Amino acid sequence: MYDMVDQIDEKIIKALKENSRKTYVEIGKAVGLSEGAVRNRVQALVNSGTIRKFTVEVAPSIRVRSLTMISVDPSVPTYTISKKVEDLSGIESIYEVTGEYDIVCVVSQRDIEGLNQTIEEIRKLEGVAKTNTVIVLRTL
């Protein structure tokens, strides 16, 4: 199990983030390792929890995304709200953050109507004090 991620692991992770369908052979050529060495490192990164999941990213042109910031009532644990939000339709990712808001989540839906529905569901959650939503215009 890895205690620390080294520079080669960082390069492997970057390659997988760019295209998780890259073969271990392709990644190995890019980082100077054999296919087997890359395979072992990726497995160790998964086993250690450094890589938590492999996922699919849908082309932004067919989705509407927002960043929705959530302020949590101080009497409610932030993690409790995060777990409730996680179960809602269209939640792509959740970040617990510092600052005026406690949670920032990426909401992704087919259209504005779906986006509004998810945001309304967030607002209805007990413990949500306020929200602020911005629509993503372009992803680079």
Side-chain angles (χ1 to χ4, degrees), residues 8-71:
I8 294 175
D9 292 332
E10 290 288 345
K11 289 178 182 178
I12 291 170
I13 291 167
K14 182 179 179 192
L16 289 170
K17 280 183 172 180
E18 289 171 359
N19 180 358
S20 64
R21 294 187 59 154
K22 280 187 180 176
T23 67
Y24 292 145
V25 171
E26 292 171 318
I27 295 169
K29 286 179 184 175
V31 301
L33 294 176
S34 69
E35 177 271 342
V38 172
R39 181 182 304 278
N40 290 339
R41 281 180 175 255
V42 169
Q43 189 58 55
L45 290 165
V46 170
N47 291 344
S48 71
T50 301
I51 295 176
R52 293 188 299 174
K53 65 182 177 179
F54 296 88
T55 187
V56 174
E57 182 176 323
V58 178
S61 62
I62 63 168
R63 305 291 285 181
V64 178
R65 283 192 172 85
S66 74
L67 301 177
T68 298
M69 293 151 281
I70 304 167
S71 181

